[in-house]
Amino acid sequence: MSAKRQFRIWRGDETGGDLQDYMVEVNEGEVVLDVIHRLQATDAPDLACRWNCKAGKCGSCSMEINGKPRLGCMTRMSTFGDEETVTVTPLRTFPVIRDLVTDVSFNYEKARETPAFAPPADVAPGDYRMQQVDVERSQEFRKCIECFLCQTVCHVIRDHDENKQAFSGPRYFIRAAELDMHPLDTRTDRKEYAQAEQGLGFCNITKCCTEVCPEHIKITDNGIIPMKERVVDRRYDPLVWLGSKIFRRGETPQTSVTTARQGSPTPGSARGGLHSHAGGSHDSQAEAQAQSGVNWHREVPHPTAPAVDDRGKLPLTELTFDRAAAPSPFGDDVTFPLPPEHLNFAHPDQDNKH
């Protein structure tokens, strides 16, 4: 059974473009990519669209359908109403080449900057052995098909051009998490590298990357949040801080990433003199700027209380700052616990109809 459906597709190139309307035949069981192919065969032979496997495993046909980043080959026409106009646009985060094709080279540049797997020097290829539990722990992240839907929906990349060079994005955060938990990877600075070089601190856990992942990878819960927790364990733990002051006699803490960059470039480092948003800088001038409150051209709060009290003890309370914290997102007149209807939690199985 076939019927005519209205499609609105963005046509243009890097100089500009607009949405054009088409009436296209749609058959039962078809996906959006099928309709685009029919449109190319009938009314718009010059329509540019990137695709390859048509099975949801190559990630090539990434596009925005009715405003949501999706794979064209995995979006069934039956999910839309009979009278609903289907609007198809290119990924808005990346530069347009033509029509639905965008330049996603940003992601490959970030992939080249990510340090590769470093196997043990005393183990020959083919002799690697891992426990099954270690294989399963990182197997979820290996399912990534690099469709870059998580990259395009991430607001740090999408809305803030000034952050792009210092931010790798969720796809490469899960790559760092995968290697950090790999028992045969000999690099011990994956967490510090994610913080100092990949911009892990820019992520504010909106979970939009998890929502659009076609492989249902729990990017935020299983990758980004654990990495943030492991960074905080070492960087901000008060006991670790006190130990560094006692045993290192007040030296400025240096990660292995920072130390290596001061001497010679590490694999995957390509930004030279840029210092990290977290203040983990790579040259003395940038370190001085970070200490004086310059952090990516934004002033940061300065502590107004000493790190230790009059008795030389480390206080358990947090340091106070000279500016008020951000207001609560819940407002000032909210009682806890919140009622269920006010929660925005979405259960992973809520879309499964029983």
Side-chain angles (χ1 to χ4, degrees), residues 2-173:
S2 63
K4 288 282 188 177
R5 296 287 298 275
Q6 183 174 7
F7 267 67
R8 183 168 295 161
I9 300 179
W10 194 90
R11 304 296 307 275
D13 53 27
E14 67 276 4
T15 62
D18 56 11
L19 293 168
Q20 296 186 14
D21 292 325
Y22 300 93
M23 291 298 296
V24 194
E25 178 184 335
V26 175
N27 298 316
E28 185 177 359
E30 288 187 330
V31 296
V32 171
L33 187 60
D34 291 324
V35 180
I36 291 177
H37 286 167
R38 180 172 294 110
L39 186 60
Q40 290 174 325
T42 55
D43 298 339
D46 58 342
L47 173 62
C49 176
R50 184 183 283 132
W51 71 284
N52 187 23
C53 74
K54 203 176 176 292
K57 292 302 177 184
C58 74
S60 299
C61 61
S62 300
M63 57 187 68
E64 296 196 11
I65 303 173
N66 284 3
K68 181 179 180 180
R70 307 182 186 206
L71 293 179
C73 68
M74 298 299 290
T75 306
R76 294 197 172 275
M77 290 300 302
S78 58
T79 60
F80 306 107
D82 294 339
E83 304 299 326
E84 183 177 359
T85 298
V86 180
T87 302
V88 184
T89 57
L91 299 179
R92 302 185 189 183
T93 301
F94 305 115
V96 172
I97 298 177
R98 181 181 163 192
D99 297 339
L100 303 180
V101 179
T102 56
D103 180 4
V104 294
S105 58
F106 165 86
N107 303 286
Y108 298 109
E109 293 172 3
K110 294 303 178 184
R112 283 193 293 268
E113 293 176 8
T114 303
F117 170 70
D122 57 346
V123 180
D127 292 336
Y128 301 149
R129 296 295 183 269
M130 293 173 58
Q131 296 292 329
Q132 185 61 33
V133 64
D134 292 323
V135 175
E136 295 172 352
R137 186 176 293 118
S138 61
Q139 187 66 31
E140 175 187 17
F141 304 135
R142 303 288 295 181
K143 296 193 300 180
C144 175
I145 61 175
E146 294 199 327
C147 60
F148 303 130
L149 294 183
C150 63
Q151 298 285 90
T152 191
V153 80
C154 178
H155 68 92
V156 180
I157 307 175
R158 190 180 185 114
D159 301 329
H160 303 281
D161 288 338
E162 70 275 11
N163 291 335
K164 283 187 178 181
Q165 294 306 313
F167 189 76
S168 295
R171 190 277 171 267
Y172 301 105
F173 291 154

Side-chain angles (χ1 to χ4, degrees), residues 149-207:
L149 294 183
C150 63
Q151 298 285 90
T152 191
V153 80
C154 178
H155 68 92
V156 180
I157 307 175
R158 190 180 185 114
D159 301 329
H160 303 281
D161 288 338
E162 70 275 11
N163 291 335
K164 283 187 178 181
Q165 294 306 313
F167 189 76
S168 295
R171 190 277 171 267
Y172 301 105
F173 291 154
I174 64 172
R175 174 62 173 163
E178 172 202 342
L179 293 174
D180 186 49
M181 64 178 64
H182 199 298
L184 295 177
D185 185 64
T186 58
R187 289 193 63 133
T188 60
D189 62 348
R190 297 287 180 184
K191 299 178 291 295
E192 292 80 2
Y193 187 89
Q195 175 74 3
E197 297 294 329
Q198 294 184 293
L200 181 66
F202 278 133
C203 173
N204 57 7
I205 319 295
T206 59
K207 295 192 179 183

